[in-house]
Structures are given as C-alpha cells and as structure tokens.
C-alpha cells in the first residue's frame, strides 16, 4: 500500500509516491491566505491539469472549509473553472459525510456515502448530463479505527485494459443511468441516457463515468461491455494499478482534489462512526463520447 511522504517544504510541489505512474502531487497551505494567493492557485491548477489529482495539507484550523471555498473561486476567476454545483434540491455547495449523523443531508433519503458500508468504484454525479469535472474532499476527522480508505484508479490506464469492442460500446449512448433519490433535483429528471466513456481524437479513452448500481445497458453490446468493465475493475491488473490513500495518508487537515472523469474512486468500509469528510464538486460540463 502506497504511503505519502510526510516532510515537505512549504509551497514545494513533490511526488508522494516513488512510482511515477501513481504519483500524487502534494502542496502545503500554511495559512488561509494561500487560497487567494495567485501563485498557490496556479500551482493547484497546474497539478490538476497535468495529473488530475492533488493533496493539500492545511497547516491551520478550517472547520468552515473557507480554504476550499476561496480556492475554487480563485480557480474560477483565474483558470476558467466553473463554479460549484449544488448537491440536491435541498443542499448547496458543501456536503458533510458523517456516518453517525441522524439527520440526512437530503430529507428522507440516506446517501451511500453517509453509510458505513463500502462504496465500490464510481464517478461522482455519473447520473448528471453535465457531471462536475472536479471534486474535493476535506478531512475534518479521519477514520481512527483503520477503515475509510480512499482508493483511486486512473481512467486512461483502465481503458487500456479493455478490449476495442468494449471501448467502442462504452462510447455509445446505450446506457440508462438512474438518479439516486437523495440527488433528485426535479421530479421530471430521474434518469438520463448516455455513454459511459469518452475518448480523445485518436480514440484513446480519456474519461469515464461509472456507478454499477444505477446503470442499465440498453443493448446486447452495451451489456457485454459493462460486464467486461466490471470484471476488469475486479481483476489483478486494476488491483496492481490502484493507489490506496489510507487515513494515515489523509489525516485531519488534508484536502484531496481530483479530476472526476480521469480518476475512478472507491472507499472501503468505514470503521469509525465519528469519521467526517466534507465534499464539494465544481466545473460541470456535458459528458460527450468524444472529448477535446
């Protein structure tokens, strides 16, 4: 299991793993002003554009997530990122993930992330016509009982493990994707029809949206492709390529920012009922089978 390098100099961007293919850039934020400092915001933007994943270590208390709010506003103003999206009809930009809460984020519906159950491979907002390109998780309390490990897998590498016929089928809009009840924003929009994969001009897979429990194939070819994709995700090649970010890697004060389309993520069982993360998603854009 990969570990992060602990001792880094402020404002230096360093690889947190010895294997370049799994490198996670890491930057230190010494105080809240970093979120509005152009050099810091540019550093974050560059890391997300190049690697699609980044860890920020906050060296100050920020239970109100002011750093993330200001950082995303800076990315919007200076680097063309779209603003955050609302999570549901009743929730705004930020979503608290606390398995011991008796009050759900959406009335009458408990999100999968709010439980202590494992959450297999998925893309955030895979059920949206315009899913967010980025999301971030801020650790307000890590799982102190050894659970809640965040696992990530690069979509480009995953796509290379699939057969050409499966990649072609995943590019076609032949999948029905249900909107989970806790994320329904309108009674008239409870599902979408679309593709699961996007590719660049050469046909190489660059983006994926996936969440097995809400996806239904609409053709024989789509069903076969979905079966191969699910099998691949459970196979030894993907296991070897997966980066596991344990609670030791992501203690309180850590922020993980990810390109939601270039990285799949999963979470194992939460063992600590006091575990508390805060999530925000931003830069929503249409998901099309052919990306730029």
């Amino acid at each position: 299991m990969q570990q992060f390098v602990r001792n880094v100099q402020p404002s230096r961007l360093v690889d947190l793993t010895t294997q370049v293919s799994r490198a996670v850039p890491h930057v230190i934020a010494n105080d809240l002003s970093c979120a509005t400092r152009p050099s810091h915001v540019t550093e974050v933007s560059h890391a997300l554009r190049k690697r699609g994943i980044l860890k920020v270590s906050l060296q100050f208390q920020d239970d109100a997530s002011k750093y993330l709010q200001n950082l995303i506003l800076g990315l919007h103003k200076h680097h063309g990122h779209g603003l955050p999206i609302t999570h549901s009809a009743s929730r705004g930009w930020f979503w608290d993930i606390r398995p011991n809460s008796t009050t759900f984020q959406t009335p009458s519906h408990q999100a999968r992330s709010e439980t202590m159950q494992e959450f297999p491979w998925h893309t955030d907002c895979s059920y949206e016509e315009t899913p967010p390109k980025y999301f971030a998780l801020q650790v307000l309390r890590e799982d102190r009982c050894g659970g809640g490990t965040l696992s990530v897998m690069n979509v480009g590498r995953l796509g290379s493990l699939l057969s050409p016929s499966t990649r072609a089928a995943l590019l076609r809009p032949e999948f029905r994707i249900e909107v989970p009840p806790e994320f329904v924003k309108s009674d008239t929009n409870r599902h979408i029809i679309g593709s699961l994969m996007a590719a660049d001009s050469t046909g190489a897979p660059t983006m994926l949206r996936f969440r097995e429990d809400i996806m239904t194939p609409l053709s024989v070819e789509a069903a076969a492709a979905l079966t191969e994709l699910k099998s691949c995700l459970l196979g030894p090649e993907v296991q070897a390529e997966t980066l596991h970010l344990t609670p030791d890697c992501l203690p309180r004060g850590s922020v993980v920012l990810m390109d939601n389309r270039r990285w799949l993520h999963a979470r194992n069982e939460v063992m600590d009922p006091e575990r508390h993360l805060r999530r925000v998603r931003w830069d929503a854009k249409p998901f099309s089978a052919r990306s730029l």
Side-chain angles (χ1 to χ4, degrees):
M1 193 162 288
Q2 305 298 317
Q3 296 292 325
F4 286 127
V5 175
R6 288 287 191 172
N7 299 317
V8 294
Q9 296 300 314
S11 77
R12 276 184 53 211
L13 197 62
V14 296
D15 284 340
L16 300 175
T17 175
T18 56
Q19 298 186 36
V20 176
S21 64
R22 299 180 182 180
V24 176
H26 183 200
V27 65
I28 301 290
N30 290 313
D31 52 56
L32 183 57
S33 68
C34 286
T36 55
R37 192 174 302 149
S39 60
H40 181 87
V41 178
T42 297
E43 192 170 29
V44 170
S45 175
H46 175 75
L48 287 175
R49 185 172 61 253
K50 184 176 181 181
R51 302 282 184 82
I53 187 169
L54 170 68
K55 176 190 173 183
V56 178
S57 293
L58 305 182
Q59 303 298 297
F60 56 94
Q61 296 291 325
D62 186 25
D63 289 348
S65 297
K66 292 295 185 181
Y67 169 84
L68 264 177
Q69 180 177 324
N70 292 339
L71 176 69
I72 294 170
L73 290 173
L75 290 169
H76 169 67
K77 182 177 180 180
H78 301 292
H79 297 279
H81 287 219
L83 289 171
I85 65 171
T86 56
H87 279 74
S88 67
S90 61
R91 296 297 300 179
W93 288 5
F94 289 97
W95 180 287
D96 284 295
I97 303 170
R98 289 178 291 194
N100 71 335
S101 176
T102 57
T103 302
F104 303 150
Q105 299 289 297
T106 300
S108 303
H109 296 292
Q110 185 178 28
R112 181 71 175 266
S113 60
E114 292 180 299
T115 72
M116 296 182 72
Q117 303 169 11
E118 68 174 356
F119 199 162
W121 291 117
H122 63 283
T123 307
D124 273 14
C125 297
S126 52
Y127 45 84
E128 296 272 7
E129 294 280 6
T130 56
K133 186 173 182 181
Y134 300 107
F135 75 91
L137 293 169
Q138 179 179 341
V139 181
L140 297 173
R141 175 183 163 122
E142 73 276 18
D143 190 315
R144 299 178 184 176
C145 301
T149 292
L150 174 67
S151 299
V152 297
M153 173 66 192
N154 183 270
V155 166
R157 177 58 183 151
L158 172 63
S160 70
L161 300 173
L162 300 173
S163 66
S165 60
T166 287
R167 293 197 298 269
L170 294 175
L171 286 167
R172 294 193 287 269
E174 297 179 356
F175 299 87
R176 178 185 172 107
I177 307 172
E178 304 294 333
V179 180
E182 67 271 17
F183 295 121
V184 170
K185 299 178 182 179
S186 167
D187 286 339
T188 59
N189 295 311
R190 292 186 172 271
H191 76 273
I192 64 170
I193 304 295
S195 63
L196 301 190
M197 184 170 280
D200 61 20
S201 58
T202 69
T206 58
M207 299 192 299
L208 181 72
R209 60 177 170 193
F210 179 75
R211 178 174 161 177
E212 179 182 353
D213 62 322
I214 62 172
M215 294 180 167
T216 303
L218 300 178
S219 69
V220 173
E221 295 80 5
L226 187 57
T227 296
E228 182 180 326
L229 173 59
K230 292 189 294 185
S231 177
C232 185
L233 286 170
L234 296 175
E237 295 91 348
V238 165
Q239 292 181 30
E241 293 288 337
T242 298
L243 179 60
H244 301 284
L245 310 183
T246 67
D248 285 342
C249 300
L250 300 175
R252 173 176 169 82
S254 301
V255 177
V256 176
L257 302 94
M258 291 178 56
D259 187 317
N260 187 42
R261 306 180 186 196
R262 290 164 57 192
W263 291 84
L264 277 182
H265 62 287
R267 185 202 72 200
N268 69 357
E269 183 181 3
V270 173
M271 305 299 292
D272 184 353
E274 300 298 323
R275 179 180 185 263
H276 185 188
L277 306 183
R278 184 168 293 136
R279 181 180 61 210
V280 60
R281 301 158 168 164
W282 73 98
D283 201 22
K285 289 183 171 65
F287 188 97
S288 60
R290 191 66 62 181
S291 63
L292 298 179

